[in-house]
Amino acid sequence: GDSVTQMEGPVTLSEEACLTINCTYTATGYPSLFWYVQYPGEGLQLLLKATKADDKGSNKGFEATYRKETTSFHLEKGSVQVSDSAVYFCALTSYGKLTFGQGTILTVHP
Amino acid sequence: DGGITQSPKYLFRKEGQNVTLSCEQNLNHDAMYWYRQDPGQGLRLIYYSQIVNDFQKGDIAEGYSVSREKKESFPLTVTSAQKNPTAFYLCASSGPGRASMNQPQHFGDGTRLSIL
């Protein structure tokens, strides 16, 4: 079946540091890929998405590129802020069903 | 503003009791979903519904039941058969139309269920 694997967390960074959260997937067919963010005590919010190979999703300074050859969708940001502290989930959808990674906790210190 | 409302935010259940979690959306979405979130395990799909009066089991449906009598509402009942119900429950929706590969899901703020 489909699966998503994220890098182990938690990740702790200083403000203005660079961020990369790795995500790889296995899926049948041609899935769409998503990054969701969850702030403390809240539900998930869609951060960005990519629907086909080589697409780049971007939002709020975050980027991720759909790499079919490496089955990856790594999340990157050039300069993180304290307000970026949250849990980040990589996910794919295949035939309407979302499959999530286990989540990566990001903490950014001033 | 359109969105998904889950209530209550916190819920406590005694052993042996059934409890129902509410999920209402005013996004005019056709598809709705229930997920369970446990620490370090991401989200797991409990049930989903593509249209009114129709729903399918997800990956961990045992001990749960749902109904979809109205487009806007998709309540989840955690029955006494669910042996480990303590978790954070998230409702989501997508649309318009039946769930498709390109549609993101929109989430409520969740209900945290605890056993007394």
Side-chain angles (χ1 to χ4, degrees), chain A residues 30 32 38 49 93 97, chain B residues 9 37 59 101-102 105 108:
Chain A
Y30 301 95
S32 293
Q38 184 178 34
K49 72 172 187 177
T93 184
K97 180 184 171 186
Chain B
K9 193 170 179 66
Q37 185 178 19
D59 300 318
M101 288 180 62
N102 295 337
Q105 293 181 13

Side-chain angles (χ1 to χ4, degrees), chain A residues 22 49 51 53 91:
Chain A
N22 291 335
K49 72 172 187 177
T51 58

